[in-house]
Amino acid sequence: MNTSEALAKIPAFSNLSKSEIQTVQSLMTPITIAAGDEFITEGAIGHEAFVILEGTAKVTRGGKDIATVGAGDVVGEMSTIGGIRRVATITAETELKAEALTSRELSALLDEVPALTRKIMVGLISRLAEIEPSLNP
């Protein structure tokens, strides 16, 4: 499966047109993260978000396991979009194949593909409600 096909299967990108998927892909940088590597560190300022295409990673907050993420998940977007500190640490459990987006690339993507902007915002709100239960009545 090529990157465009993989992106089209990710919920955040699933309703995008082929040309929108190509725009997304043109802004991303493919990367491989080795098993055991911490690629997002709680408390650090975020400069890039990641779309995981293959593999799994452990999410911890305050040293406690809170989730496992894998293919189809977008991570790091909250601090990349908002310029805030990372709210969790993410460590690759297996080798990860991912696509990286810097804050500048992510901003350009949100400007160029409005259909994606709403999906990412809804995802951000859901993730904030998970982190801060008082936001979810």
Side-chain angles (χ1 to χ4, degrees):
M1 176 180 338
N2 66 36
T3 302
S4 292
E5 291 169 339
L7 289 173
K9 292 183 182 215
I10 293 172
F13 305 118
S14 63
N15 292 331
L16 301 183
S17 68
K18 284 187 178 191
S19 74
E20 289 171 326
I21 290 283
Q22 289 172 343
T23 299
V24 170
Q25 186 178 352
S26 72
L27 293 168
M28 295 179 156
T29 302
I31 62 167
T32 300
I33 301 167
D37 282 0
E38 182 180 291
F39 62 101
I40 291 180
T41 304
E42 184 176 354
I45 298 294
H47 299 288
E48 58 191 351
F50 303 89
V51 178
I52 300 173
L53 301 176
E54 295 177 25
T56 60
K58 177 174 57 171
V59 182
T60 59
R61 186 166 190 226
K64 295 180 182 180
D65 292 356
I66 59 170
T68 298
V69 292
D73 288 318
V74 179
V75 296
E77 77 283 11
M78 284 195 311
S79 67
T80 304
I81 291 171
I84 61 173
R85 296 192 180 280
R86 303 280 196 191
V87 297
T89 294
I90 305 181
T91 306
E93 293 182 312
T94 65
E95 179 179 270
L96 295 178
K97 300 287 185 197
E99 295 283 340
L101 281 163
T102 66
S103 56
R104 180 174 291 153
E105 293 161 341
L106 187 53
S107 290
L109 180 61
L110 295 176
D111 288 344
E112 292 179 34
V113 186
L116 181 61
T117 303
R118 183 177 189 283
K119 286 186 171 189
I120 289 193
M121 293 304 133
V122 168
L124 287 172
I125 291 165
S126 295
R127 192 158 304 151
L128 283 172
E130 289 172 9
I131 292 168
E132 185 52 57
S134 68
L135 295 175
N136 196 4

